[in-house]
PDB file of all heavy atoms in Angstrom:
ATOM      1  N   GLY A 146     -25.508  21.361  -5.744  1.00 98.00           N
ATOM      2  CA  GLY A 146     -24.839  20.075  -5.500  1.00 98.00           C
ATOM      3  C   GLY A 146     -24.219  20.027  -4.108  1.00 98.00           C
ATOM      4  O   GLY A 146     -24.270  18.989  -3.430  1.00 98.00           O
ATOM      5  N   LEU A 147     -23.672  21.157  -3.671  1.00 98.00           N
ATOM      6  CA  LEU A 147     -23.090  21.208  -2.318  1.00 98.00           C
ATOM      7  C   LEU A 147     -24.178  21.002  -1.266  1.00 98.00           C
ATOM      8  O   LEU A 147     -23.978  20.301  -0.268  1.00 98.00           O
ATOM      9  CB  LEU A 147     -22.394  22.555  -2.082  1.00 98.00           C
ATOM     10  CG  LEU A 147     -21.153  22.858  -2.948  1.00 98.00           C
ATOM     11  CD1 LEU A 147     -20.668  24.288  -2.685  1.00 98.00           C
ATOM     12  CD2 LEU A 147     -20.034  21.862  -2.673  1.00 98.00           C
ATOM     13  N   GLU A 148     -25.342  21.611  -1.504  1.00 98.00           N
ATOM     14  CA  GLU A 148     -26.453  21.445  -0.550  1.00 98.00           C
ATOM     15  C   GLU A 148     -26.870  19.975  -0.469  1.00 98.00           C
ATOM     16  O   GLU A 148     -27.160  19.457   0.601  1.00 98.00           O
ATOM     17  CB  GLU A 148     -27.658  22.300  -0.982  1.00 98.00           C
ATOM     18  CG  GLU A 148     -27.445  23.784  -0.723  1.00 98.00           C
ATOM     19  CD  GLU A 148     -28.475  24.666  -1.438  1.00 98.00           C
ATOM     20  OE1 GLU A 148     -29.438  24.131  -2.035  1.00 98.00           O
ATOM     21  OE2 GLU A 148     -28.295  25.891  -1.405  1.00 98.00           O
ATOM     22  N   MET A 149     -26.874  19.317  -1.623  1.00 98.00           N
ATOM     23  CA  MET A 149     -27.250  17.891  -1.633  1.00 98.00           C
ATOM     24  C   MET A 149     -26.217  17.067  -0.871  1.00 98.00           C
ATOM     25  O   MET A 149     -26.573  16.145  -0.129  1.00 98.00           O
ATOM     26  CB  MET A 149     -27.363  17.393  -3.079  1.00 98.00           C
ATOM     27  CG  MET A 149     -28.540  17.969  -3.811  1.00 98.00           C
ATOM     28  SD  MET A 149     -28.558  17.398  -5.527  1.00 98.00           S
ATOM     29  CE  MET A 149     -29.810  18.470  -6.193  1.00 98.00           C
ATOM     30  N   LEU A 150     -24.942  17.398  -1.049  1.00 98.00           N
ATOM     31  CA  LEU A 150     -23.889  16.669  -0.316  1.00 98.00           C
ATOM     32  C   LEU A 150     -24.084  16.833   1.197  1.00 98.00           C
ATOM     33  O   LEU A 150     -23.980  15.868   1.964  1.00 98.00           O
ATOM     34  CB  LEU A 150     -22.495  17.168  -0.739  1.00 98.00           C
ATOM     35  CG  LEU A 150     -22.031  16.704  -2.117  1.00 98.00           C
ATOM     36  CD1 LEU A 150     -20.871  17.569  -2.620  1.00 98.00           C
ATOM     37  CD2 LEU A 150     -21.618  15.233  -2.112  1.00 98.00           C
ATOM     38  N   ALA A 151     -24.401  18.061   1.618  1.00 98.00           N
ATOM     39  CA  ALA A 151     -24.595  18.308   3.053  1.00 98.00           C
ATOM     40  C   ALA A 151     -25.809  17.529   3.559  1.00 98.00           C
ATOM     41  O   ALA A 151     -25.786  16.981   4.665  1.00 98.00           O
ATOM     42  CB  ALA A 151     -24.758  19.809   3.303  1.00 98.00           C
ATOM     43  N   GLU A 152     -26.834  17.449   2.732  1.00 98.00           N
ATOM     44  CA  GLU A 152     -28.014  16.681   3.158  1.00 98.00           C
ATOM     45  C   GLU A 152     -27.680  15.188   3.255  1.00 98.00           C
ATOM     46  O   GLU A 152     -28.108  14.497   4.185  1.00 98.00           O
ATOM     47  CB  GLU A 152     -29.177  16.907   2.187  1.00 98.00           C
ATOM     48  CG  GLU A 152     -30.463  16.402   2.791  1.00 98.00           C
ATOM     49  CD  GLU A 152     -31.698  16.731   1.969  1.00 98.00           C
ATOM     50  OE1 GLU A 152     -31.667  17.723   1.196  1.00 98.00           O
ATOM     51  OE2 GLU A 152     -32.684  15.976   2.098  1.00 98.00           O
ATOM     52  N   ALA A 153     -26.885  14.702   2.311  1.00 98.00           N
ATOM     53  CA  ALA A 153     -26.470  13.285   2.354  1.00 98.00           C
ATOM     54  C   ALA A 153     -25.645  13.021   3.612  1.00 98.00           C
ATOM     55  O   ALA A 153     -25.762  11.965   4.233  1.00 98.00           O
ATOM     56  CB  ALA A 153     -25.676  12.932   1.097  1.00 98.00           C
ATOM     57  N   ARG A 154     -24.844  14.005   4.020  1.00 98.00           N
ATOM     58  CA  ARG A 154     -24.068  13.837   5.271  1.00 98.00           C
ATOM     59  C   ARG A 154     -25.019  13.744   6.469  1.00 98.00           C
ATOM     60  O   ARG A 154     -24.872  12.874   7.321  1.00 98.00           O
ATOM     61  CB  ARG A 154     -23.120  15.020   5.470  1.00 98.00           C
ATOM     62  CG  ARG A 154     -22.486  15.006   6.876  1.00 98.00           C
ATOM     63  CD  ARG A 154     -21.490  16.128   7.073  1.00 98.00           C
ATOM     64  NE  ARG A 154     -22.037  17.388   6.641  1.00 98.00           N
ATOM     65  CZ  ARG A 154     -21.330  18.366   6.060  1.00 98.00           C
ATOM     66  NH1 ARG A 154     -20.045  18.219   5.867  1.00 98.00           N
ATOM     67  NH2 ARG A 154     -21.908  19.479   5.673  1.00 98.00           N
ATOM     68  N   ASN A 155     -26.034  14.637   6.483  1.00 98.00           N
ATOM     69  CA  ASN A 155     -26.987  14.605   7.598  1.00 98.00           C
ATOM     70  C   ASN A 155     -27.693  13.259   7.683  1.00 98.00           C
ATOM     71  O   ASN A 155     -27.940  12.743   8.757  1.00 98.00           O
ATOM     72  CB  ASN A 155     -28.044  15.709   7.446  1.00 98.00           C
ATOM     73  CG  ASN A 155     -27.415  17.071   7.661  1.00 98.00           C
ATOM     74  OD1 ASN A 155     -26.321  17.166   8.213  1.00 98.00           O
ATOM     75  ND2 ASN A 155     -28.098  18.115   7.203  1.00 98.00           N
ATOM     76  N   LYS A 156     -28.007  12.694   6.515  1.00 98.00           N
ATOM     77  CA  LYS A 156     -28.787  11.446   6.520  1.00 98.00           C
ATOM     78  C   LYS A 156     -27.926  10.218   6.788  1.00 98.00           C
ATOM     79  O   LYS A 156     -28.432   9.222   7.285  1.00 98.00           O
ATOM     80  CB  LYS A 156     -29.489  11.286   5.167  1.00 98.00           C
ATOM     81  CG  LYS A 156     -30.575  12.334   4.942  1.00 98.00           C
ATOM     82  CD  LYS A 156     -31.728  11.755   4.135  1.00 98.00           C
ATOM     83  CE  LYS A 156     -32.999  12.563   4.306  1.00 98.00           C
ATOM     84  NZ  LYS A 156     -33.289  13.489   3.221  1.00 98.00           N
ATOM     85  N   THR A 157     -26.635  10.261   6.431  1.00 98.00           N
ATOM     86  CA  THR A 157     -25.826   9.028   6.520  1.00 98.00           C
ATOM     87  C   THR A 157     -24.674   9.125   7.523  1.00 98.00           C
ATOM     88  O   THR A 157     -24.118   8.099   7.890  1.00 98.00           O
ATOM     89  CB  THR A 157     -25.179   8.703   5.147  1.00 98.00           C
ATOM     90  OG1 THR A 157     -24.315   9.802   4.795  1.00 98.00           O
ATOM     91  CG2 THR A 157     -26.217   8.495   4.069  1.00 98.00           C
ATOM     92  N   GLY A 158     -24.293  10.342   7.893  1.00 98.00           N
ATOM     93  CA  GLY A 158     -23.136  10.503   8.785  1.00 98.00           C
ATOM     94  C   GLY A 158     -21.809  10.428   8.046  1.00 98.00           C
ATOM     95  O   GLY A 158     -20.750  10.556   8.658  1.00 98.00           O
ATOM     96  N   LEU A 159     -21.832  10.214   6.720  1.00 98.00           N
ATOM     97  CA  LEU A 159     -20.580  10.161   5.962  1.00 98.00           C
ATOM     98  C   LEU A 159     -19.939  11.553   5.907  1.00 98.00           C
ATOM     99  O   LEU A 159     -20.653  12.565   5.860  1.00 98.00           O
ATOM    100  CB  LEU A 159     -20.845   9.682   4.524  1.00 98.00           C
ATOM    101  CG  LEU A 159     -21.252   8.213   4.360  1.00 98.00           C
ATOM    102  CD1 LEU A 159     -21.798   7.970   2.954  1.00 98.00           C
ATOM    103  CD2 LEU A 159     -20.074   7.291   4.645  1.00 98.00           C
ATOM    104  N   LYS A 160     -18.614  11.600   5.889  1.00 98.00           N
ATOM    105  CA  LYS A 160     -17.910  12.878   5.714  1.00 98.00           C
ATOM    106  C   LYS A 160     -17.881  13.186   4.210  1.00 98.00           C
ATOM    107  O   LYS A 160     -17.771  12.273   3.385  1.00 98.00           O
ATOM    108  CB  LYS A 160     -16.471  12.791   6.236  1.00 98.00           C
ATOM    109  CG  LYS A 160     -16.369  12.253   7.648  1.00 98.00           C
ATOM    110  CD  LYS A 160     -16.974  13.192   8.667  1.00 98.00           C
ATOM    111  CE  LYS A 160     -16.968  12.567  10.042  1.00 98.00           C
ATOM    112  NZ  LYS A 160     -18.120  12.883  10.842  1.00 98.00           N
ATOM    113  N   ILE A 161     -17.914  14.466   3.885  1.00 98.00           N
ATOM    114  CA  ILE A 161     -18.023  14.874   2.477  1.00 98.00           C
ATOM    115  C   ILE A 161     -16.682  15.326   1.899  1.00 98.00           C
ATOM    116  O   ILE A 161     -16.007  16.176   2.484  1.00 98.00           O
ATOM    117  CB  ILE A 161     -19.053  16.034   2.344  1.00 98.00           C
ATOM    118  CG1 ILE A 161     -20.427  15.594   2.860  1.00 98.00           C
ATOM    119  CG2 ILE A 161     -19.124  16.557   0.909  1.00 98.00           C
ATOM    120  CD1 ILE A 161     -21.028  14.391   2.160  1.00 98.00           C
ATOM    121  N   VAL A 162     -16.326  14.737   0.741  1.00 98.00           N
ATOM    122  CA  VAL A 162     -15.127  15.141  -0.002  1.00 98.00           C
ATOM    123  C   VAL A 162     -15.592  15.707  -1.336  1.00 98.00           C
ATOM    124  O   VAL A 162     -16.278  15.010  -2.100  1.00 98.00           O
ATOM    125  CB  VAL A 162     -14.227  13.928  -0.348  1.00 98.00           C
ATOM    126  CG1 VAL A 162     -12.917  14.391  -0.963  1.00 98.00           C
ATOM    127  CG2 VAL A 162     -13.998  13.046   0.855  1.00 98.00           C
TER     128      VAL A 162
END
Side-chain angles (χ1 to χ4, degrees):
L147 295 174
E148 286 166 7
M149 290 177 191
L150 286 163
E152 194 173 335
R154 170 177 48 215
N155 290 343
K156 292 214 160 100
T157 61
L159 290 167
K160 309 293 175 216
I161 301 301
V162 187

